[in-house]
Amino acid sequence: YLGFRAEKFYVPTKTNQIARFVPENVWFATPPVSFLLGGILPFGSVCIELFFIMNALWLHQIYYVMGFLLMVLMILAATCAEVSMVMCYLQLCGEDHRWWWKSFFNCASAGVYLFMYSLWFLSTKLELVGLLPVAVYLTYMSMISLAFSLFCGSVGFLSAFMFNQLIYGALKVD
């Protein structure tokens, strides 16, 4: 109901019906490499705090620093926004106009790093015996990693979208 009453997104340029030729990218700007490079900084900004959260969650410890967690969440959102805008700018400088999904996956790949971190945590910190506890742990951590990916990717896409609105809205095209 509220979605139909909301304002439409403003795109400051006109889209041509014929797609432009996209030149060959350098090796670090290709999608799998740029996705993995883009996820390092958002994951690195919350890596230490994740250790304490996972200790509290899986090793039955108490986590009582919620104010600091909110600050780390804001740092994560700012890092995702900055990474997405820089990667989008580099992509647009390379004349690649297909930034929509790349801006999402550049930051969403931090969830892959979170899942790899949870595998490391499983092998070094947890002493789970049997298949069922490991399956439960991996299921929960895969859902947490997916939610983390969706958060980081959404922040990355929205910041790249606003960035493109600002830089193309300042241009006068005749």
Side-chain angles (χ1 to χ4, degrees), residues 4 47 95 147 156 167:
F4 290 116
C47 183
E95 298 180 12
I167 63 171

Side-chain angles (χ1 to χ4, degrees), residues 43-165:
F43 175 75
S45 67
V46 297
C47 183
I48 301 299
E49 195 64 25
L50 278 174
F51 177 76
F52 296 117
I53 291 172
M54 289 179 71
N55 276 338
L57 185 64
W58 297 107
L59 297 177
H60 308 291
Q61 296 178 358
I62 298 173
Y63 186 80
Y64 51 87
V65 199
M66 294 300 173
F68 188 70
L69 180 62
L70 179 65
M71 190 170 58
V72 169
L73 184 68
M74 288 190 288
I75 290 171
L76 172 66
T79 305
C80 287
E82 290 172 358
V83 165
S84 179
M85 285 187 272
V86 167
M87 296 290 276
C88 184
Y89 180 74
L90 292 174
Q91 183 179 345
L92 292 174
C93 285
E95 298 180 12
D96 189 359
H97 61 276
R98 301 168 299 185
W99 61 270
W100 294 78
W101 282 105
K102 289 181 183 179
S103 67
F104 179 83
F105 286 117
N106 280 336
C107 291
S109 63
V112 174
Y113 289 108
L114 175 60
F115 190 73
M116 289 190 304
Y117 182 76
S118 69
L119 292 177
W120 172 83
F121 193 82
L122 173 66
S123 65
T124 59
K125 300 291 181 198
L126 296 179
E127 297 173 1
L128 299 178
V129 178
L131 182 64
L132 187 61
V134 172
V136 168
Y137 172 78
L138 290 177
T139 303
Y140 276 120
M141 288 311 297
S142 64
M143 289 189 292
I144 290 170
S145 298
L146 181 65
F148 187 73
S149 292
L150 288 175
F151 172 76
C152 292
S154 299
V155 169
F157 171 75
L158 291 174
S159 62
F161 186 73
M162 287 189 288
F163 173 72
N164 282 329
Q165 279 183 329

Side-chain angles (χ1 to χ4, degrees), residues 6-41:
E7 292 183 27
K8 292 184 179 179
F9 287 116
Y10 170 69
V11 181
T13 60
K14 292 182 181 178
T15 305
N16 195 358
Q17 294 293 336
I18 301 170
R20 288 187 58 185
F21 171 73
V22 178
E24 189 70 28
N25 286 333
V26 291
W27 67 272
F28 58 86
T30 58
V33 178
S34 71
F35 296 163
L36 292 177
L37 288 176
I40 290 174
L41 285 176

